[in-house]
Amino acid sequence: MNNTSLQSAIQYAHDHRDRFRAEFEDLLRIPSISMDAAHQADIEHCADVLVAEMSRIGLENCRVIATRGHPVVYGEWLHAGDNKPTILLYAHYDVQPIARPDLWDSPPFEPTMRDGKLYARGCVDDKCSVWGNLKAFEAMLAANGALPVNVKVFFEAEEELGSPNVQPFVVANKDLLNADTLLLSDGPFVPEQPVIGYTVRGTVMAEVTVHGPPHDLHSGRYGGAVQNPLHVVANIIASLHDTSGRVQIAGFYDDVRPLTDEERALLDEMWQTVGASLEAAAGVEHFWGQAMGSFAERTTALPTLDVNGLWGGHSGDGIQSIIPSSAGFKVTIRIVADQNPHKVGELFKQHVLSFADETVTIAVNLLDVSWPFTMAADGAPIEALQRAFEATLGRRAMLLRHGGALPIGGMFQHELGIPMTMLGFGAGDNSHAPNEYIAVDNWHLAIATAIHFYHHLADTMMNVGNTS
Amino acid sequence: MNNTSLQSAIQYAHDHRDRFRAEFEDLLRIPSISMDAAHQADIEHCADVLVAEMSRIGLENCRVIATRGHPVVYGEWLHAGDNKPTILLYAHYDVQPIARPDLWDSPPFEPTMRDGKLYARGCVDDKCSVWGNLKAFEAMLAANGALPVNVKVFFEAEEELGSPNVQPFVVANKDLLNADTLLLSDGPFVPEQPVIGYTVRGTVMAEVTVHGPPHDLHSGRYGGAVQNPLHVVANIIASLHDTSGRVQIAGFYDDVRPLTDEERALLDEMWQTVGASLEAAAGVEHFWGQAMGSFAERTTALPTLDVNGLWGGHSGDGIQSIIPSSAGFKVTIRIVADQNPHKVGELFKQHVLSFADETVTIAVNLLDVSWPFTMAADGAPIEALQRAFEATLGRRAMLLRHGGALPIGGMFQHELGIPMTMLGFGAGDNSHAPNEYIAVDNWHLAIATAIHFYHHLADTMMNVGNTS
C-alpha cells in the first residue's frame, strides 16, 4: 500500500466534503422510483447523470446499457496494472416509492438538513453508496491520478423490484463484469459496531395447491366419503418436520457444508454480541428445535423450512360446513452452502407430490429462488475491509452470518464465482419508510473507509488473473 | 280410526280449498322477517293473527308467549280422551329476508299465482306448514266437532336465526309441551317420492386457535428456532384421522349405536334410490374412507370429522416470509345416536389441547352443538304417516337417514324424550332464494295427508300416559 497516495486521497475527500454533499443532494433530487412507470424518465435522467459524473472523474467506457427493464450503468478504470486485482462494484440508483407523503417532515425529493442529518428518499438506500463510491474514486484519481486497484462499476435501477433483470444481464455479460472480487455496496454503515455479513442463506419459495372435489361440498352429506383437501394440506405440512425440528424431505441435508471450527468460533462470538437482543426481539419464552443445534446454528448454518401461510375453506366468522374444493399453503425454505436452490426445490416438490393420489391432485409452484453465499472469513477482501474499519473507526467489524437472504449476492457469487464482501454507506435509517435520513458526517466516514478499503485491497488480494 | 269422520274432514277441506288458499295468501302478506329488527311489529302481528285463527277454529288456551327473542305461539285441544295420544306440533312462522328484491318476478309479500304456483316469501318455508296444519285442524273440528288425537300447537319465529330461544323455552316449559309424540312440520312435500327423515346426525362445531410468538417473526431470522403455529395446526389436523379415515380421538366411537339389520336394510334400500345421484352430485371420481364402511354408512350412520377452513400467515399473492403469531382452523364433527355432543366436544378439545406445550398455547372454542336423533323406523308415528301417504299419494315414503343436522329435532328429542316424525307441507322450491313458490294443488294434498295422519295416529299410537 502506498501510504502517501492513501493520505492524499483521504485529504482530498476531506477538503471537498461540502461539494460532495451538495452533489449528493443533487442526485437525491431525482425521483428515480423504479416501481412507478411515471418515473421512467427520472430513472433515465439519473443514469445519464451518473455516467456523466463517472466520465468527469476519470472512469472510462462509461455508458448506460439497456436491459429488458430499467437501464444499468457501467464504467471502468483498468490501469492499476496486471498485478493488481480487479474489483466489481455493485450498487443501485433506484429508490423506494413514497407511500405516505403526508408522513414526511420535509418533501422526500427536496433534501433537507436537520441536526446533522440529511433527509431525502434514497439517501440511505442506496444513493449514499452510489455517490459515496464515486466520490472515493474521484478522491483517489484527483489526488493521485490513479486507483490502487482495477475497478468496474455496475449500478442497477431495479433493486427495489427484486433485480429481475440483473441475473440475465450478468449471465449475458460475464466478460464485461469479470473481476477478482465483488463489493456489494448496499446496507447500513454503523461506526459504533461495524459488521460484515460473510454468510447469507439462500431461499426456495413455493406455493402448493391441493385440488379435491370440483366444487365445495356439504360436509354433512359427503364428510367421510370425500377426501378433504384441508386434511391433505395438513398431512403434507405435518410430514415436513419430525418433532426434533429436522426436515424430513429425503436428501434435504445432503449438500449442507458443515461449519468449520473457525466458523463455529466466529458464530459463537457473533452470538455473544447479538444473540441476547435477537432472542429478546422474538418475544418468545421458549424456543424450538434445540435438538438440531444452537439457536445461531439453526438460524444461520442449517437449512430450515417454514410454512408462511395457508388457506382453504371458510376462515371468516362462524362455521360453513364445507369440504372445500381446494386448499393450499406457501413455504420458504432457507438453504446454506453448498445447497443448490433448484435441487432443493425439486426435492420439496417430489416430497409434496407424493401425497397426490386418486382422490386429490397437487400442484407445486416453485417461485423465485436465491442462492446462498459464503465467503472465507479470513479471505483477502474481508481482511482489506477489516483494515479499513480499523483505520477509520478504530475497530474491526463483527462477522455476521445472516439467516435471511441477499439474492443479489448469491446470484453474483453463483454466476461469477468470485469472492465478495459488503460495504454499505447507509449511515442512517428509515430506508423504506418516511423521513429516510443519513448522518452526513458518518457518510463522509464511509467514503474514507472505502478509500482505505480500495488501497488495502491492492495489498491483500493477489491478482488471480481472470480480469478481462 | 273413524272412517266417517276422516272422510268428512277430507270433504270439508276440499270444499273450502279456495278460502284456505285466500287465507294463506293473507298470512303470506305479513313480512315476518326474523332477521330484521325493522320487522318486529310484523312478527308480533303475525303471532296475533295465528292466535286469533287458532281460537276461531276451536283450539283452546291460545296465546302469544314472550321469549327472550321473538314470541312463540301456543294453543291446544285436549279433548280426544285419555286413551288417545297427545301430539305436539312444531312449525315456524318467521321467514327469510329478501336479499335481492330485484330478482323477484313479483313482489315477495304480494302473493301471486302463476301456472298453479303461488309465489311469495315464506310460502314453502314454513308458513305452508303453519297454515296447512291449522286448516287440517279446522277441517276436522268443523266436520266432526273433535280431533282424533289431543293436540298441542307450538309455533316459533326464530327458526331462520337458528332457534336460539326454543331450547331454553322448551326446558322451562316441559309440562306445557309434554306430549306422546312430536310432529316437526317443516320441509319439502314431494308427492312423486315422499320421504321421511327418520335419522339425523348431530353436530359439534369448534374453532381452534394456536398462539405462538407475540407478533409475526421473520422466518429468515427465526425459522427453526421458534415454533411455527402453522406447523402445529397441521400437526393437530393430521392427527385427527388415520389413513383409513378413522378418527383418532380417544373414545370418539365409544357411544356409537351400531346399525341393526333392519336399519342396514333400510339404508341399502335408500341408497339404491338416492345413492347414484348423491355420488354424481359430488363430481368426484374416487371416494375416500371405504375401509370404514359403505358410502351410505359413513355419511349417515357413523360419526365423521371435517375441517371446514383454516387460516394463518399470508395467503394472498406472493410470499411473505413470516412465522405468524397465530393460526387456526374450524371443524364440524357429525355425531350419531347415542353420542352426546357435549361429551364429543370435550374429547375433541382434550385431544387438541394435548398439542399445547411450552412453545404454543391453544384455545378451543366449542360453538353450538346439536343432538342427533333417531326414530324407530317401524314406530307408531312413522307408521301413521306411512298410511297417510298411502291414502293420499298411493305410496309409502322412503325412509331417509340424513347426514346433515336438524338441530331443532335433536333438541326436542333430547329435551322431551319423545318419538317424533316429520311432515313438511313445502310442495315447492326456492325456500331461501328469490321467487319462492308452492304448487297449490300439492299444498292441498299435504293438508289431506295431515288429516289422514292425525286420524291414523289415533289408532297406531297408544297413549303412553304422560300428557299433562
Side-chain angles (χ1 to χ4, degrees):
Chain A
M1 186 179 69
N2 183 324
N3 206 39
T4 305
S5 67
L6 169 59
Q7 291 310 323
S8 302
I10 294 290
Q11 188 63 45
Y12 181 95
H14 185 266
D15 292 344
H16 295 83
R17 45 192 290 139
D18 290 344
R19 175 173 58 82
F20 284 5
R21 194 196 83 194
E23 294 167 351
F24 182 31
E25 291 182 10
D26 287 342
L27 186 71
L28 293 170
R29 287 192 180 90
I30 306 171
S32 50
I33 301 171
S34 51
M35 281 187 201
D36 186 346
H39 289 280
Q40 176 69 29
D42 295 313
I43 292 272
E44 289 167 10
H45 173 55
C46 195
D48 291 340
V49 165
L50 292 173
V51 166
E53 177 67 1
M54 287 157 66
S55 296
R56 188 190 69 78
I57 64 176
L59 301 187
E60 299 170 350
N61 296 319
C62 303
R63 57 192 190 271
V64 175
I65 307 176
T67 72
R68 283 176 291 187
H70 294 313
V72 299
V73 167
Y74 178 82
E76 64 188 22
W77 191 92
L78 301 175
H79 306 296
D82 287 349
N83 63 333
K84 296 296 181 186
T86 300
I87 185 166
L88 174 65
L89 167 69
Y90 165 90
H92 66 92
Y93 66 93
D94 62 323
V95 302
Q96 278 278 313
I98 310 300
R100 292 288 304 275
D102 55 305
L103 296 181
W104 284 74
D105 294 329
S106 52
F109 295 106
E110 294 178 19
T112 306
M113 281 295 293
R114 291 194 294 276
D115 297 331
K117 295 171 181 169
L118 182 62
Y119 289 82
R121 171 55 87 222
C123 67
V124 76
D125 180 20
D126 177 38
K127 285 177 173 172
C128 58
S129 303
V130 168
W131 206 253
N133 275 289
L134 293 187
K135 293 301 103 177
F137 297 146
E138 177 186 346
M140 294 183 279
L141 286 165
N144 309 310
L147 299 179
V149 291
N150 300 300
V151 167
K152 295 181 176 182
V153 173
F154 176 76
F155 296 146
E156 70 144 328
E158 295 189 313
E159 199 274 346
E160 304 298 355
L161 306 176
S163 303
N165 290 298
V166 170
Q167 190 260 356
F169 183 86
V170 170
V171 169
N173 294 277
K174 285 193 176 179
D175 283 344
L176 181 71
L177 301 177
N178 197 13
D180 300 307
T181 186
L182 170 75
L183 180 68
L184 210 67
S185 201
D186 189 10
F189 180 82
V190 185
E192 302 76 21
Q193 176 58 73
V195 296
I196 302 171
Y198 80 104
T199 302
V200 171
R201 293 199 289 186
T203 52
V204 177
M205 293 179 172
E207 296 176 328
V208 174
T209 307
V210 175
H211 296 280
H215 42 77
D216 292 356
L217 295 176
H218 187 260
S219 75
R221 190 163 285 178
Y222 293 107
V226 172
Q227 178 63 286
N228 186 328
L230 295 168
H231 299 179
V232 177
V233 159
N235 288 341
I236 295 171
I237 297 173
S239 77
L240 294 171
H241 294 87
D242 67 11
T243 55
S244 77
R246 187 174 176 85
V247 175
Q248 298 296 292
I249 297 170
F252 187 73
Y253 294 95
D254 281 359
D255 299 328
V256 173
R257 187 198 300 178
L259 284 181
T260 63
D261 290 345
E262 187 215 17
E263 286 173 325
R264 195 175 296 277
L266 281 172
L267 190 57
D268 289 345
E269 185 188 328
M270 159 187 143
W271 206 248
Q272 282 164 24
T273 306
V274 303
S277 67
L278 257 173
E279 291 187 10
V284 169
E285 275 187 56
H286 297 279
F287 291 96
W288 181 78
Q290 287 84 345
M292 289 294 292
S294 70
F295 190 124
E297 196 176 350
R298 303 201 297 286
T299 56
T300 70
L302 285 172
T304 55
L305 183 158
D306 270 278
V307 176
N308 304 123
L310 41 70
W311 58 270
H314 174 70
S315 58
D317 284 344
I319 302 261
Q320 289 182 3
S321 293
I322 57 168
I323 298 171
S325 67
S326 61
F329 64 97
K330 295 160 186 276
V331 68
T332 303
I333 302 170
R334 307 278 171 177
I335 60 173
V336 299
D338 297 308
Q339 292 182 292
N340 175 325
H342 301 291
K343 179 180 171 188
V344 171
E346 195 57 33
L347 292 175
F348 171 78
K349 184 173 180 174
Q350 292 312 317
H351 179 92
V352 170
L353 290 181
S354 73
F355 284 79
D357 61 17
E358 61 183 16
T359 67
V360 290
T361 58
I362 300 178
V364 178
N365 185 20
L366 292 172
L367 305 175
D368 284 350
V369 302
S370 71
W371 288 81
F373 72 82
T374 191
M375 293 172 286
D378 56 356
I382 287 182
E383 183 54 25
L385 190 51
Q386 291 286 33
R387 292 186 195 174
F389 283 133
E390 284 185 298
T392 57
L393 307 179
R395 72 189 71 197
R396 290 170 74 89
M398 182 172 63
L399 289 169
L400 278 186
R401 297 185 76 93
H402 284 292
L406 185 66
I408 197 86
M411 183 281 294
F412 273 119
Q413 188 168 65
H414 177 68
E415 297 296 349
L416 298 180
I418 57 177
M420 56 180 281
T421 189
M422 291 188 274
L423 173 62
F425 286 56
D429 207 347
N430 300 337
S431 60
H432 286 208
N435 299 314
E436 182 175 351
Y437 73 87
I438 190 164
V440 173
D441 285 350
N442 287 340
W443 179 61
H444 289 296
L445 205 51
I447 293 171
T449 303
I451 293 171
H452 278 275
F453 166 71
Y454 289 115
H455 275 85
H456 286 297
L457 191 68
D459 292 340
T460 59
M461 191 161 197
M462 300 302 295
N463 175 8
V464 294
N466 63 349
T467 59
S468 62
Chain B
M1 186 179 70
N2 183 324
N3 206 39
T4 305
S5 68
L6 169 59
Q7 291 311 323
S8 302
I10 294 290
Q11 187 64 45
Y12 181 94
H14 185 266
D15 291 345
H16 295 83
R17 45 191 290 140
D18 291 344
R19 174 172 60 81
F20 284 5
R21 194 195 83 194
E23 294 167 351
F24 182 32
E25 291 182 10
D26 287 342
L27 186 71
L28 293 170
R29 287 191 180 91
I30 306 171
S32 50
I33 301 172
S34 51
M35 280 187 201
D36 186 346
H39 289 280
Q40 176 68 28
D42 295 313
I43 292 273
E44 289 167 9
H45 173 56
C46 194
D48 290 339
V49 165
L50 292 173
V51 166
E53 177 67 2
M54 287 157 67
S55 296
R56 188 190 70 77
I57 65 176
L59 301 188
E60 298 170 349
N61 295 318
C62 303
R63 57 192 189 272
V64 175
I65 307 177
T67 72
R68 284 177 290 187
H70 294 312
V72 300
V73 167
Y74 179 82
E76 63 188 24
W77 192 92
L78 302 175
H79 306 297
D82 287 349
N83 62 334
K84 295 296 182 188
T86 300
I87 184 166
L88 174 65
L89 167 69
Y90 165 90
H92 67 91
Y93 65 93
D94 63 323
V95 302
Q96 278 278 313
I98 309 300
R100 292 289 303 275
D102 55 305
L103 296 181
W104 285 74
D105 294 330
S106 52
F109 295 105
E110 294 178 20
T112 306
M113 282 294 293
R114 291 194 293 276
D115 297 331
K117 295 171 181 169
L118 182 62
Y119 289 81
R121 171 55 87 222
C123 67
V124 75
D125 180 21
D126 177 39
K127 285 177 173 171
C128 57
S129 302
V130 168
W131 206 253
N133 275 289
L134 293 187
K135 293 301 103 177
F137 297 146
E138 177 187 346
M140 294 183 280
L141 286 165
N144 309 309
L147 299 178
V149 291
N150 300 299
V151 167
K152 295 180 175 182
V153 173
F154 176 76
F155 295 146
E156 70 144 327
E158 295 189 313
E159 199 274 345
E160 304 297 356
L161 306 176
S163 303
N165 290 298
V166 170
Q167 189 261 356
F169 183 86
V170 169
V171 169
N173 293 277
K174 286 193 176 178
D175 283 345
L176 181 71
L177 301 177
N178 197 13
D180 299 308
T181 186
L182 169 75
L183 180 68
L184 210 67
S185 201
D186 189 9
F189 180 82
V190 185
E192 301 76 21
Q193 176 58 73
V195 296
I196 302 172
Y198 80 104
T199 302
V200 171
R201 292 198 289 185
T203 52
V204 178
M205 292 179 173
E207 296 175 329
V208 174
T209 307
V210 175
H211 296 280
H215 41 78
D216 293 356
L217 295 176
H218 187 259
S219 75
R221 190 163 286 179
Y222 293 107
V226 172
Q227 178 63 286
N228 186 328
L230 296 168
H231 299 179
V232 178
V233 159
N235 288 340
I236 296 170
I237 297 173
S239 77
L240 295 170
H241 294 87
D242 68 10
T243 54
S244 77
R246 187 173 177 86
V247 175
Q248 298 296 293
I249 297 171
F252 188 73
Y253 295 95
D254 280 359
D255 299 328
V256 173
R257 188 198 300 178
L259 284 180
T260 63
D261 290 345
E262 186 214 18
E263 286 172 326
R264 195 176 296 278
L266 281 172
L267 190 56
D268 289 345
E269 184 188 328
M270 160 187 144
W271 206 248
Q272 282 164 23
T273 306
V274 303
S277 67
L278 257 174
E279 291 187 11
V284 169
E285 274 187 58
H286 297 279
F287 291 95
W288 181 77
Q290 287 84 345
M292 290 294 292
S294 70
F295 190 123
E297 196 175 350
R298 304 201 296 286
T299 56
T300 69
L302 285 172
T304 54
L305 183 159
D306 270 278
V307 176
N308 305 122
L310 41 71
W311 58 270
H314 173 70
S315 57
D317 284 344
I319 302 262
Q320 289 182 4
S321 293
I322 57 168
I323 298 170
S325 66
S326 60
F329 63 97
K330 296 160 186 276
V331 67
T332 303
I333 301 171
R334 307 279 172 177
I335 59 173
V336 299
D338 296 307
Q339 292 182 292
N340 175 325
H342 301 291
K343 179 180 171 187
V344 170
E346 195 57 33
L347 292 175
F348 171 77
K349 184 174 181 175
Q350 292 312 317
H351 179 92
V352 170
L353 290 181
S354 73
F355 284 81
D357 61 18
E358 61 182 16
T359 67
V360 290
T361 58
I362 301 178
V364 178
N365 185 20
L366 292 172
L367 306 174
D368 284 350
V369 301
S370 70
W371 289 82
F373 72 82
T374 190
M375 294 172 285
D378 56 355
I382 287 181
E383 183 54 26
L385 190 51
Q386 291 286 34
R387 291 185 194 174
F389 282 133
E390 285 184 298
T392 58
L393 307 179
R395 71 188 72 196
R396 290 169 74 90
M398 181 172 64
L399 289 169
L400 277 186
R401 297 185 76 93
H402 284 292
L406 185 66
I408 197 86
M411 184 280 296
F412 273 119
Q413 188 169 64
H414 176 69
E415 297 297 349
L416 298 180
I418 57 177
M420 56 180 281
T421 189
M422 291 188 275
L423 173 62
F425 286 57
D429 207 347
N430 300 336
S431 60
H432 286 208
N435 300 313
E436 182 175 351
Y437 72 87
I438 191 164
V440 173
D441 284 350
N442 286 340
W443 179 61
H444 289 296
L445 206 51
I447 293 171
T449 303
I451 293 170
H452 278 275
F453 166 70
Y454 289 115
H455 275 85
H456 287 296
L457 191 68
D459 291 341
T460 59
M461 191 161 198
M462 301 302 295
N463 175 8
V464 294
N466 64 349
T467 59
S468 62

